Structures are given as structure tokens and as C-alpha cells.
């Protein structure tokens, strides 16, 4: 095949096209294809292995190996040369298979007669589907032309599998996008939702992978790329006065759009017989495969740019993916790789749930989802390649699970859970106005977290006694440029008006880490969570801090004002920020603006270091709010985005509760008000233990107030404190089992 590769490849693809059009069943079609490939490549063996589940490959068709081995020979990912190709996504080409790394002898196949081995991954846009293998008796390494031809054929096989060309009996030949699938991700916003899939970026399906007329396909590609280039140039022209980072992205787009190498590779694929769409997708698949193996963040971003550009080119070629909100189903569950806060706000409360392949529990998209009370699960791998628009889907934001195309029994159990939750909410409504006083007479203040005006109606609906944390960064994140001071004044006024004299704690701008302003130069940091963020940015960018403080003071307009600085790691940072507050008040007074009736300035304790600050700090700070999410990850040195470690550490760990108790004691010495803000404040058992440790204000999402209040009203904090103390003396790692047993005994 080294001679006249293009002609032979085109002949083979032409024969494959005929197979696609035939009425043959899936197994018969596979059998014919292995014969076609072996004949065209002049190999004695051609085998197709497909995944029957995420970890297991199955021999589904062969020409040259023992027919009895079909559907019986199976191997795990990484097992043998076939498993090695599947796991790595890389080609294995060896003249001496038995001596190659990872070789495993499969006696039932009769492959011991064949020395040479060429294995090519069958994959589509990063999704692994199987492995295409050719073998020969002679010890020879397959030529570059033969390898390239097999890559093209593997790509067509992936498209055929996507289109359902190989449906038959058994798990490996089951129809794609029709079977029930359960995914496990990370819970980012609690709640349950049932609905139908709405893909934020609809998948383009290539229905014509093989070209009838290569010359016409070359013309179509040229025309589409030219349209793409014009579009990128227009975006650059519109954005030429915008921020530098956005311009850098668009410049990268233009570089790729004008890349001769990118164009040449796609033209070569078309010359071998692929359609324009298939050639683009082949390049895109290879870019995604490279992206999964690159650790350098800059290179990953550039490969992601190429991936996005390929999607744009595919939409131009096919006309697919042009949808709008008018097409939304009545119960949409948004499915996306990732999404920005602006796009999410455009969907608004129409969404019933959100599922993201990427995302994070602290991202601004998550903050918006929480503000809108929309169940959200993040880190759900493969969901965008498996889901189709309109698929039935169940989202459990409490457990972090997603059921796609669920069976009836799963749907029934899910609906029973939702019904039980609805009954519980009715019960919580009956205690909405009841003060939170425990059985032993301790008064607990339950307040809510907020970040959008959409949150404020929950102040009355949930029974919250105020806003313990208002996130001010969302007004900065959803814009393409820095908001004006006057715009912030209006926003903060509306918040205070809606609160109707209830206390609102405004947290100053908390950016950095996973919350990056689109118009601020992004600095690559090896560990952003421990880097330039929150108050560190504010103290380095004092103009922004002063502008926000001015807006808050003017919005108060004679009313009480409460301001809190995030991520204070040492007392000096608080003192510097407090000095800026005093300086701003003096300036506003000179300008003749109304000053707040009173002003409280507090600090968020999110790093263990601040708990050991001098007692003078606790004497002088107006209040402290424990930021439980960050404090917990730093206390345990466990990244809360890392599923491998974050679940290992319990909030009811004796060490952590002892640390919380120490903070309470230091605040009590100075009579400094203390609150706890974070996910654990909204979990009834955790909230109960925090209250038993001495915390009297808990700030949580509005929907959690009812369940937490219900538990606290029936609790004796002294009894719970004794249970915690006894568990500590027994040397137990977590108090959770003992507290849960006590709760069960209380009915």
C-alpha cells in the first residue's frame, strides 16, 4: 500500500461508504469491514475491538483470527497491546509483537502466528470507542503511509459507530446515546431536578464522513475557512480597544485560522477520501487527545482555542448547532463543558438544573447557580459526548449524581425522594417565623448567603434574619469592563432597600483563584488558591478597593453599613484595609455625602494563621466570620476541588471541631461577634455541632435554613457538647457516628 496510497485509501473509503448505505446488520457490517480493511492493507489479520464498558474492550469482529474468539476475548484498559493503545490513545506499531512492552498472549485468538502489529485508537473528540488492529506473519513495521491510512479509516469507523452503524447483540454493540448512564461528579449546589437535556453547545454530528467528490470537498473547506477567518477578523476589529487578554485569545484564533499546517493536514485527509467535516473533526480529535496529555497551562489553553475554532468551522460547514433560547424545552437541564456567569444569567431561572464537565465548587458559575437555587453538579466527565438534546435526565445536587436516560425504577425512586423533600419544605414553612431557640435556651441566628438581587426575596421566604454574606464580585465578573462607581451605588442601594433594615454583611471584592475578572490581566500562578486573591488583590489595587468602599458608603446613605474583608491571613492586612475604610469615610465627609449611621468592619477567618493572631486583633476587629470552605481545605491541606482527597476529611473531625472551639474561645475573651459561613453551616448535623462548639450565627444558602432550624429547635446543645467531648476523650477521629446515634435516639 506504500505505492498509490491515496488511490487505495480512497478505494477503501468508497467501499466503506457502500457498507454504510447497505442494509446489513451491525455484526455483518463489522465482519465485512474487517475483510475490506485486511484486503486493502494487504494484512493477514484485521480486528476491531470496541468498549463494552468504560474499562473493558471486546473483540467484536476479525478477519484472520479465530472466529470463536469474537465476543469472547476481552481485556481491561491497559491490558496487552490493544489495551495499551486504548489507554494511551497512541498508535502502537511493532514488527515483533511478542517482545513489545505490555504484550499479552490470548490463546483463544490464534494470534501467535502473527509477528507484526499495528494498533490505532478509534476515538471521536476525545471519547475512546475502541481499537483497530492489523497484523501480519512477516516481521515488518507498517509504513507511515499505511499508518496514516489506518488513522483515517479509524476516524470513519468512529463516525459510523456514532451514527449507529454497528448496533447488534451484546454490550459492545449496544446502540449509542440510547442506554441509561449514571455519572458521578461533585455536588456544587444542592437540590434535585428532573427534566430534559439542553446542550449549551450542541454537538455537531458528521453524517457524511466519506467524500463523493474530493475536489468539491476541498472547495467547501476553503470557503468555510475563509468565512471563519473573516469572522475572526471582525471580532478582532470590534475588540481592538478591549482588554489585552481578550485580544490575545482572538489573536490566537487568527493564528490558527491562518495556519498553513492545520489547513494542509485537513486537505491531505480530504485527498484520502474524507469529507470536509470529517477532516476538521479528525484534526479536532487529535487536538483533544493532545490536550488531555499536556500539563502546561499555556499549551492547554492554545489547544482549547484550536478546539473552539474547530467547533466554529464545523458549524459553518454543517449549519448545525444554531439554536436559541426559544427552542428550550419546558424543563431544561443545562449540560455544558463549562459556562461563564454572564451566559448562565441569560438562562436565568428557566433552568431546572445544571451539569458541567468541568466547573468548580467555588467558581463564579457555581455562585450564580447557588444564587438562583439551581441544582448543580460539576466534574461530570463525558456528559457532553454522551448526552443529546431532549434526553431525559435526573440531577441530584445533594449526592453529585446524574442519571441520563434513566430506567423507570430509577425515575420512581428519584420522584419519591423529591416528594419527601417537598413535604419537608412544607413542614419548614410552618416554623419560618419561629425564633431559633434550642431546648436548653440558646438563641442561634440563622442568616443567608447572597450575591444577586434575585436572592433577596428569600430573606422573607426562608425565614433568614439577615444576610450574613453578600458576595459583591458577581457584579464585576458578569461584565466585560470594570463597573462604574455609580452603577455599584445603585446596586448596593437596591440590596439594602430589599433587606428592609435587616443586617447585610457586604464582603468586599473576592477575586483571584478560580474567580478571574475578564478585563483584568490574568497572572498564571502554580497554586492560585494560595496566591494573589481577595484582600491581597485589594491591598495591591487600592483604587478598586476605594471605589467599592465609596459605593458602599454612598449606598448606605445614612443607614447602618457592615463591611467584611475576605481571606485575611494576618492582622496587619485587616489594619491596612480598616485604614482605607477610615480614609474613605473622611473623604466622603469632606465631600458632604451622607455617612452611615454606624459602620462595622469585620474579617473573614479563612486561614489557620489568623486564628493565632495577637489578642489585640480580636479586641479591635468589629466581628469575625469563619469562612468554612477555605478554612477546612487549608486546615486539612486537602484541595476541595480534588475528588481524590476532599471527601477524606470530615467537618466533624475532632481536630477541626477543637480548632473551631479555640476560635470561639478567643472571640469570647474579646466579646467579638463570631459567625460561621460556608456549606457546613447549611448541613443540619454539622450546624448542630458548630452551635454546640459555641457559634451563635450561621450563614447558609436560603433553602438550608428550614432544615437547620428544625434540628436546632429540638436540640439540647449541652448534651451535644458532652457527646463531642466524650468522643474526643475516647480518641475517636470523628464525632459524626456518636452525634448521629444521639439524633436517632431523640427521634
Amino acid at each position: 500500500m506504500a505505492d498509490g496510497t491515496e488511490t487505495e485509501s480512497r478505494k477503501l473509503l468508497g467501499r466503506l461508504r457502500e457498507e454504510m448505505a447497505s442494509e446489513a446488520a451491525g455484526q455483518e457490517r463489522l465482519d465485512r469491514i474487517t475483510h475490506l480493511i485486511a484486503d486493502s492493507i494487504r494484512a493477514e489479520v484485521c480486528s476491531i475491538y470496541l468498549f463494552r464498558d468504560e474499562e473493558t474492550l471486546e473483540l467484536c469482529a476479525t478477519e484472520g483470527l479465530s472466529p470463536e474468539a469474537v465476543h469472547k476475548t476481552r481485556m481491561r484498559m491497559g491490558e496487552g497491546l490493544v489495551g495499551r493503545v486504548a489507554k494511551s490513545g497512541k498508535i502502537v506499531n511493532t514488527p515483533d509483537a511478542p517482545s513489545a512492552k505490555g504484550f499479552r498472549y490470548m490463546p483463544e485468538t490464534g494470534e501467535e502466528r502473527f509477528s507484526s502489529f499495528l494498533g490505532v485508537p478509534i476515538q471521536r473528540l476525545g471519547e475512546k470507542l475502541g481499537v483497530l488492529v492489523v497484523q501480519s506473519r512477516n516481521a515488518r513495521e507498517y509504513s507511515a503511509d499505511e499508518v496514516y491510512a489506518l488513522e483515517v479509516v479509524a476516524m470513519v469507523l468512529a463516525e459510523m459507530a456514532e451514527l449507529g452503524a454497528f448496533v447488534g447483540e451484546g454490550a459492545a454493540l449496544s446502540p449509542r446515546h440510547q442506554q441509561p448512564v449514571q455519572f458521578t461528579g461533585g455536588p456544587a449546589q444542592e437540590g434535585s431536578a428532573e427534566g430534559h437535556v439542553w446542550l449549551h453547545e450542541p454537538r455537531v454530528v458528521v453524517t457524511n464522513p466519506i467524500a463523493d467528490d474530493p475536489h468539491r470537498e476541498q472547495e467547501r473547506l476553503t470557503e468555510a475557512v475563509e468565512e471563519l477567518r473573516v469572522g475572526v477578523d471582525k471580532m478582532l476589529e470590534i475588540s481592538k480597544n478591549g482588554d489585552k487578554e481578550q485580544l490575545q485569545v482572538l489573536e490566537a484564533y487568527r493564528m490558527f485560522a491562518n495556519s498553513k499546517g492545520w489547513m494542509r493536514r485537513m486537505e491531505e485527509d480530504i485527498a484520502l477520501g474524507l469529507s470536509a467535516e470529517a477532516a476538521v473533526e479528525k484534526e479536532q480529535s487529535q487536538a483533544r487527545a493532545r490536550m488531555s496529555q499536556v500539563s502546561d497551562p499555556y499549551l492547554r489553553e492554545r489547544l482549547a482555542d484550536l478546539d473552539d475554532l474547530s467547533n466554529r468551522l464545523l458549524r459553518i460547514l454543517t449549519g448545525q448547532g444554531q439554536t436559541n433560547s426559544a427552542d428550550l424545552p419546558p424543563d431544561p437541564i443545562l449540560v455544558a463543558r463549562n459556562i461563564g456567569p454572564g451566559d448562565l444569567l441569560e438562562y436565568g431561572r428557566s433552568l431546572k438544573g445544571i451539569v458541567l464537565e468541568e466547573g468548580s465548587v467555588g467558581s463564579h458559575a457555581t455562585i450564580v447557580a447557588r444564587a438562583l437555587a439551581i441544582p448543580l453538579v460539576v466534574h461530570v466527565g463525558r456528559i457532553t459526548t454522551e448526552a443529546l438534546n431532549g434526553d431525559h435526565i435526573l440531577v441530584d445536587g445533594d449526592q453529585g449524581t446524574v442519571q441520563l436516560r434513566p430506567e423507570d425504577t430509577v425515575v420512581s425512586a428519584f420522584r419519591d425522594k423529591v416528594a419527601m423533600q417537598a413535604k419537608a419544605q412544607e413542614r419548614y414553612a410552618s416554623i419560618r417565623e419561629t425564633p431559633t431557640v434550642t431546648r436548653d435556651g440558646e438563641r442561634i441566628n440563622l442568616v443567608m448567603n447572597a450575591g444577586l438581587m434575585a436572592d433577596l426575596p428569600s430573606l422573607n421566604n426562608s425565614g433568614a434574619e439577615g444576610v450574613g454574606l453578600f458576595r459583591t464580585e458577581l457584579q464585576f465578573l458578569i461584565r466585560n469592563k470594570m463597573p462604574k462607581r455609580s452603577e455599584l451605588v445603585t446596586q448596593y442601594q437596591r440590596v439594602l432597600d430589599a433587606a428592609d433594615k435587616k443586617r447585610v454583611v457586604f464582603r468586599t471584592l473576592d477575586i483571584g483563584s478560580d474567580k478571574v475578572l475578564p478585563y483584568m490581566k490574568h497572572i498564571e500562578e502554580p497554586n492560585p488558591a494560595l496566591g494573589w486573591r481577595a484582600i491581597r488583590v485589594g491591598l495591591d489595587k487600592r483604587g478598586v478597593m476605594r471605589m467599592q468602599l465609596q459605593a458602599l458608603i454612598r449606598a448606605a446613605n445614612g443607614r447602618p453599613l457592615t463591611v467584611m474583608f475576605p481571606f485575611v491571613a494576618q492582622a496587619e492586612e485587616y489594619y491596612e484595609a480598616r485604614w482605607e475604610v477610615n480614609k474613605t469615610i473622611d473623604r466622603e465627609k469632606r465631600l458632604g455625602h451622607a455617612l452611615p449611621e454606624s459602620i462595622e468592619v469585620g474579617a473573614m477567618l479563612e486561614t489557620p494563621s489568623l486564628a493565632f493572631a495577637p489578642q489585640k486583633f480580636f479586641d479591635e476587629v468589629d466581628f469575625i466570620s469563619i469562612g468554612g470552605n477555605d478554612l477546612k481545605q487549608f486546615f486539612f491541606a486537602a484541595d476541595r476541588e480534588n475528588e481524590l482527597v476532599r471527601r477524606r476529611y470530615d467537618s466533624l473531625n475532632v481536630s477541626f471541631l477543637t480548632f473551631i472551639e479555640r476560635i470561639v474561645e478567643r472571640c469570647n475573651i474579646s466579646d467579638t461577634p463570631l459567625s460561621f459561613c460556608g456549606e457546613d453551616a447549611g448541613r443540619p448535623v454539622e450546624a448542630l455541632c458548630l452551635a454546640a462548639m459555641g457559634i451563635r450565627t450561621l450563614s447558609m444558602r436560603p433553602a438550608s435554613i428550614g432544615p437547620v432550624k428544625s434540628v436546632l429547635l429540638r436540640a439540647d446543645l449541652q448534651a451535644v457538647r458532652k457527646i463531642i467531648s466524650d468522643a474526643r476523650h475516647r480518641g475517636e477521629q470523628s464525632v459524626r457516628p456518636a452525634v448521629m446515634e444521639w439524633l436517632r435516639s431523640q427521634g
Side-chain angles (χ1 to χ4, degrees):
M1 187 157 179
D3 298 320
T5 301
E6 289 187 357
T7 303
E8 290 299 325
S9 295
R10 202 175 298 139
K11 284 181 182 178
L12 174 56
L13 290 180
R15 295 168 76 181
L16 284 175
R17 183 174 61 242
E18 292 173 6
E19 281 303 326
M20 290 178 69
S22 73
E23 297 294 329
Q27 184 63 59
E28 183 183 352
R29 181 177 279 139
L30 271 176
D31 293 339
R32 288 184 186 177
I33 287 173
T34 54
H35 175 75
L36 288 177
I37 296 171
D39 184 51
S40 298
I41 207 88
R42 297 186 180 91
E44 288 148 304
V45 173
C46 175
S47 304
I48 295 175
Y49 297 80
L50 299 175
F51 279 101
R52 59 179 286 113
D53 57 47
E54 287 186 30
E55 292 294 326
T56 312
L57 286 154
E58 182 176 297
L59 176 63
C60 290
T62 186
E63 171 80 10
L65 296 184
S66 172
E68 288 74 23
V70 174
H71 298 303
K72 293 180 182 177
T73 295
R74 294 172 187 168
M75 60 198 71
R76 305 286 290 174
M77 180 91 82
E79 183 181 10
L81 295 183
V82 175
R84 176 178 150 195
V85 172
K87 185 175 183 178
S88 67
K90 296 179 180 178
I91 292 167
V92 172
N93 183 8
T94 175
D96 186 8
S99 64
K101 178 183 176 182
F103 176 79
R104 181 194 166 193
Y105 174 52
M106 302 289 227
E108 71 274 16
T109 65
E111 65 178 343
E112 69 276 6
R113 296 168 292 159
F114 306 103
S115 181
S116 62
F117 176 98
L118 171 60
V120 177
I122 301 172
Q123 54 191 2
R124 183 179 187 272
L125 301 182
E127 183 185 12
K128 296 174 179 178
L129 303 176
V131 178
L132 171 63
V133 175
V134 292
Q135 295 171 272
S136 298
R137 282 192 175 88
N138 296 335
R140 70 181 182 100
E141 189 168 328
Y142 289 90
S143 70
D145 286 339
E146 290 169 322
V147 171
Y148 189 68
L150 261 291
E151 282 186 282
V152 173
V153 171
M155 190 268 173
V156 173
L157 291 177
E159 292 299 334
M160 292 176 73
E162 177 73 10
L163 295 169
F166 306 134
V167 174
E169 294 183 8
L173 299 185
S174 61
R176 294 174 54 73
H177 309 299
Q178 295 182 30
Q179 303 302 312
V181 186
Q182 175 176 317
F183 297 92
T184 301
Q189 164 61 16
E190 297 168 347
S192 303
E194 177 180 0
H196 292 85
V197 168
W198 177 257
L199 290 166
H200 180 56
E201 293 182 338
R203 296 166 62 243
V204 172
V205 178
V206 177
T207 56
N208 60 327
I210 303 169
D212 292 316
D213 181 354
H215 179 70
R216 176 57 190 142
E217 294 304 306
Q218 295 280 10
E219 290 178 345
R220 290 181 63 235
L221 179 67
T222 301
E223 291 167 3
V225 169
E226 182 57 33
E227 183 178 338
L228 179 71
R229 289 170 178 165
V230 170
V232 172
D233 288 341
K234 284 182 179 178
M235 286 191 289
L236 267 166
E237 181 64 27
I238 293 170
S239 305
K240 65 181 180 181
N241 296 320
D243 66 283
K244 291 182 180 179
E245 190 169 348
Q246 185 179 2
L247 284 171
Q248 286 174 352
V249 171
L250 291 174
E251 286 289 359
Y253 276 10
R254 182 157 68 180
M255 179 188 73
F256 282 126
N258 289 280
S259 168
K260 292 181 180 179
W262 186 47
M263 192 71 178
R264 187 190 68 252
R265 290 191 297 273
M266 291 188 292
E267 288 173 341
E268 288 173 352
D269 291 331
I270 290 173
L272 285 171
L274 291 184
S275 66
E277 293 93 327
V280 174
E281 197 169 89
K282 179 173 178 289
E283 278 298 302
Q284 187 180 21
S285 291
Q286 291 178 343
R288 283 199 182 177
R290 291 196 298 272
M291 191 160 51
S292 67
Q293 296 164 8
V294 169
S295 57
D296 181 81
Y298 177 81
L299 289 177
R300 283 184 63 84
E301 283 185 19
R302 297 291 73 80
L303 287 168
D305 291 340
L306 180 57
D307 189 58
D308 184 61
L309 209 62
S310 298
N311 280 330
R312 291 171 184 265
L313 188 53
L314 282 170
R315 286 195 284 270
I316 292 171
L317 282 164
T318 65
Q320 297 177 31
Q322 309 298 328
T323 58
N324 57 64
S325 57
D327 301 317
L328 278 173
D331 52 359
I333 304 288
L334 183 74
V335 173
R337 291 179 68 188
N338 214 337
I339 190 169
D343 286 339
L344 197 49
L345 282 169
E346 283 186 21
Y347 284 109
R349 294 185 184 275
S350 62
L351 298 177
K352 302 300 180 186
I354 306 168
V355 182
L356 300 180
E357 266 192 19
E358 298 172 3
S360 67
V361 296
S363 69
H364 34 266
T366 300
I367 292 168
V368 172
R370 287 174 178 165
L372 299 174
I374 301 172
L376 167 65
V377 181
V378 297
H379 302 312
V380 183
R382 301 187 308 107
I383 184 72
T384 59
T385 56
E386 182 62 45
L388 296 177
N389 266 340
D391 278 346
H392 189 198
I393 186 171
L394 309 176
V395 178
D396 188 334
D398 304 319
Q399 302 298 321
T401 59
V402 177
Q403 304 282 350
L404 186 64
R405 300 181 290 268
E407 296 177 339
D408 291 344
T409 54
V410 175
V411 174
S412 179
F414 185 85
R415 289 175 179 169
D416 287 345
K417 176 186 175 180
V418 171
M420 288 177 64
Q421 290 174 336
K423 287 182 180 178
Q425 288 299 329
E426 291 176 11
R427 186 171 72 252
Y428 303 144
S430 67
I431 58 173
R432 184 181 299 151
E433 305 302 325
T434 305
T436 310
V437 180
T438 63
R439 277 169 42 196
D440 53 336
E442 295 291 346
R443 177 72 164 87
I444 312 296
N445 299 308
L446 302 183
V447 293
M448 59 175 265
N449 302 329
L452 295 168
M453 281 302 299
D455 291 322
L456 274 301
S458 297
L459 256 177
N460 295 322
N461 300 338
S462 66
E465 298 175 69
V467 178
L469 169 67
F470 190 89
R471 306 178 182 92
T472 61
E473 57 271 9
L474 281 176
Q475 285 69 45
F476 290 78
L477 287 164
I478 62 178
R479 299 167 181 262
N480 291 321
K481 61 182 180 179
M482 182 77 73
K484 296 178 181 178
R485 181 176 56 198
S486 58
E487 294 171 333
L488 294 179
V489 171
T490 301
Q491 175 72 19
Y492 301 152
Q493 280 177 335
R494 292 174 62 200
V495 172
L496 290 169
D497 291 344
D500 192 24
K501 298 183 180 180
K502 289 183 177 179
R503 183 172 182 259
V504 178
V505 180
F506 288 96
R507 183 179 70 185
T508 60
L509 195 57
D510 185 4
I511 57 170
S513 187
D514 55 1
K515 296 189 283 290
V516 180
L517 299 183
Y519 43 85
M520 184 178 286
K521 182 176 175 59
H522 179 48
I523 299 173
E524 288 293 342
E525 299 180 87
N527 192 338
L530 296 175
W532 194 57
R533 53 177 292 201
I535 196 171
R536 298 168 181 177
V537 177
L539 291 175
D540 288 348
K541 300 279 187 181
R542 300 219 180 189
V544 177
M545 178 187 281
R546 289 168 193 154
M547 187 262 286
Q548 187 177 26
L549 290 172
Q550 288 168 359
L552 286 165
I553 290 168
R554 294 180 189 183
N557 194 28
R559 292 175 286 192
L561 177 64
T562 306
V563 178
M564 176 169 66
F565 290 100
F567 207 65
V568 178
Q570 58 182 5
E572 188 60 34
E573 291 171 330
Y574 171 77
Y575 294 141
E576 287 189 52
R578 181 73 189 241
W579 183 82
E580 287 291 345
V581 174
N582 295 338
K583 183 179 176 182
T584 304
I585 288 175
D586 289 343
R587 183 177 183 276
E588 291 298 293
K589 185 177 181 179
R590 289 197 305 272
L591 292 172
H593 294 142
L595 300 180
E597 175 187 309
S598 61
I599 185 164
E600 296 176 281
V601 182
M604 288 202 81
L605 195 159
E606 299 171 270
T607 64
S609 62
L610 192 62
F612 298 96
Q615 193 62 41
K616 181 176 180 287
F617 164 73
F618 289 90
D619 294 339
E620 295 183 0
V621 69
D622 290 339
F623 65 92
I624 287 176
S625 178
I626 295 173
N629 296 341
D630 264 330
L631 183 63
K632 182 179 170 184
Q633 76 166 342
F634 296 137
F635 183 84
F636 289 113
D639 182 0
R640 62 191 176 116
E641 299 295 339
N642 188 335
E643 290 297 317
L644 295 174
V645 297
R646 81 179 185 91
R647 292 178 184 271
R648 294 171 68 104
Y649 300 99
D650 191 352
S651 304
L652 300 189
N653 180 286
V654 167
S655 300
F656 188 65
L657 288 179
T658 301
F659 185 56
I660 295 295
E661 185 179 42
R662 172 63 175 155
I663 297 170
V664 171
E665 289 170 354
R666 298 207 70 187
C667 287
N668 286 344
I669 291 171
S670 300
D671 200 23
T672 302
L674 175 67
S675 64
F676 187 101
C677 174
E679 294 174 8
D680 289 326
R683 294 175 176 142
V685 178
E686 283 84 341
L688 173 63
C689 292
L690 291 169
M693 288 292 97
I695 293 177
R696 292 295 174 264
T697 299
L698 299 168
S699 189
M700 65 201 74
R701 69 187 186 101
S704 297
I705 289 175
V708 169
K709 181 183 284 190
S710 178
V711 168
L712 289 174
L713 288 174
R714 295 179 285 115
D716 182 329
L717 295 186
Q718 291 302 314
V720 177
R721 188 175 180 85
K722 185 177 185 309
I723 291 167
I724 293 172
S725 178
D726 290 346
R728 181 159 45 195
H729 286 125
R730 289 194 300 270
E732 294 179 8
Q733 180 167 296
S734 173
V735 305
R736 188 178 297 277
V739 172
M740 292 296 293
E741 180 61 32
W742 179 82
L743 283 170
R744 282 190 287 268
S745 71
Q746 299 299 301

